[in-house]
Amino acid sequence: MKKLSRKGKMIEEMIDSKYLNEQMKLLIYLPEAFSPMNEFHLCIMQDGDDYYQLGRVATFSDRLHDDADIEDTVFVGIHYKDKYDRRRKYHPSGEEQEAYIQFLANEVIEKLDQVLPNQQLISRALMGDSLAGTLALITAIKYPNLFSKVIMQSPYVDEVVMSSVKQATQLHTLDIYHTIGALETNVQTLVESDVDFLTPNRKLKEFLEENGGTYTYKEIPEGKHTWKYWQQDMPHALRTMFE
């Protein structure tokens, strides 16, 4: 099979995190004509390897930039060790979630400001699927001065998440893109089976519509809790947030 040629440029940066006590890798994808002298968006993705490989973010970035469908956008992927590590860092009740949020808000932002001077930065977005989408929302709520956009695909929503959203004082400042599949009623998670994602996402939608800022909600009729549907929606999500 012929290897796909990329128009953009992938660079790797490492962070020795004092919050997580481990070395973390950032995979940064720059659009072909990127210049720090021009205005740009920054989209930070948890489940980073999945977004590049299964979500085809680099491919869509090349295509959307070529067609001038989005403004210059730099994508940053941060991945997890394994499914247990992911749950510890992303879950709203995870043992390392607060440390991971501090890592994002402090160490990741500091590193990216060094690599990509932010004088021309338009916005910082957080993007994630499932638990990674949950983390994106919770982090932006805590640090709305750092992250103004959220893309969450089928986020996990429980009482802890709803409580955080209802207590948020600057929810109106966020630009949120939110999807859920209409068939996500019996999702298998790491510790539970047959979890209903749809009903709590609809409750979250009702609250965000009434109390949030710029808000886009999309319920995918045949959508399930899989990358097939998150990938299909990716171009629309990116156009909506970065056009």
Side-chain angles (χ1 to χ4, degrees):
M1 181 181 295
K2 183 179 179 181
K3 187 175 181 180
L4 182 65
S5 176
R6 290 274 171 239
K7 293 190 173 184
K9 178 183 179 182
M10 186 78 78
I11 61 176
E12 180 180 307
E13 294 287 338
M14 304 301 297
I15 296 175
D16 290 315
S17 174
K18 68 180 182 181
Y19 293 101
L20 298 172
N21 295 313
E22 64 180 283
Q23 191 172 64
M24 302 292 291
K25 179 170 68 175
L26 310 184
L27 284 179
I28 304 169
Y29 193 69
L30 307 173
E32 183 178 19
F34 175 77
S35 168
M37 302 301 293
N38 299 329
E39 293 186 338
F40 66 96
H41 299 275
L42 191 59
C43 182
I44 303 172
M45 311 174 295
Q46 315 317 309
D47 288 353
D49 290 357
D50 294 335
Y51 267 102
Y52 282 129
Q53 296 168 15
L54 304 175
R56 301 180 64 211
V57 162
T59 298
F60 289 130
S61 174
D62 288 349
R63 185 183 306 167
L64 294 171
H65 281 101
D66 268 358
D67 295 341
D69 281 349
I70 61 174
E71 297 178 311
D72 281 0
T73 303
V74 176
F75 293 93
V76 181
I78 309 171
H79 206 57
Y80 52 87
K81 294 177 183 176
D82 55 38
K83 59 185 179 181
Y84 304 103
D85 180 63
R86 182 178 185 269
R87 180 178 173 84
R88 286 194 300 270
K89 290 172 177 171
Y90 296 178
H91 194 281
S93 301
E95 305 95 310
E96 294 186 82
Q97 195 212 45
E98 182 55 36
Y100 193 85
I101 289 174
Q102 294 304 314
F103 157 71
L104 283 175
N106 295 286
E107 296 171 325
V108 171
I109 295 302
E110 180 181 3
K111 173 63 73 173
L112 292 175
D113 285 350
Q114 293 169 0
V115 177
L116 306 167
N118 66 6
Q119 289 88 344
Q120 297 300 316
L121 184 65
I122 303 172
S123 72
R124 294 190 191 93
L126 290 169
M127 180 160 70
D129 63 287
S130 195
L131 279 179
T134 309
L135 181 78
L137 178 63
I138 297 302
T139 304
I141 285 173
K142 289 190 174 185
Y143 292 96
N145 58 318
L146 294 178
F147 307 104
S148 59
K149 294 178 181 287
V150 174
I151 301 174
M152 50 182 183
Q153 298 178 293
S154 305
Y156 173 79
V157 180
D158 64 5
E159 294 82 2
V160 176
V161 175
M162 286 303 302
S163 177
S164 297
V165 172
K166 290 177 180 178
Q167 292 176 31
T169 59
Q170 297 187 55
L171 194 62
H172 63 282
T173 67
L174 298 179
D175 182 359
I176 299 174
Y177 182 91
H178 176 195
T179 68
I180 186 68
L183 302 183
E184 294 190 55
T185 55
N186 58 343
V187 177
Q188 177 71 46
T189 70
L190 184 61
V191 297
E192 300 175 277
S193 60
D194 297 328
V195 178
D196 179 5
F197 272 58
L198 179 59
T199 301
N201 268 270
R202 284 176 171 171
K203 291 180 180 178
L204 176 61
K205 172 238 184 188
E206 291 175 2
F207 186 84
L208 291 176
E209 280 185 332
E210 293 180 5
N211 301 279
T214 304
Y215 179 61
T216 302
Y217 175 80
K218 183 177 180 182
E219 195 164 297
I220 302 170
E222 301 300 319
K224 298 180 181 180
H225 201 77
T226 69
W227 272 101
K228 173 183 177 180
Y229 298 97
W230 300 330
Q231 181 197 105
Q232 288 176 353
D233 188 60
M234 189 61 58
H236 183 261
L238 299 182
R239 287 192 195 99
T240 299
M241 299 303 275
F242 305 120
E243 65 180 358

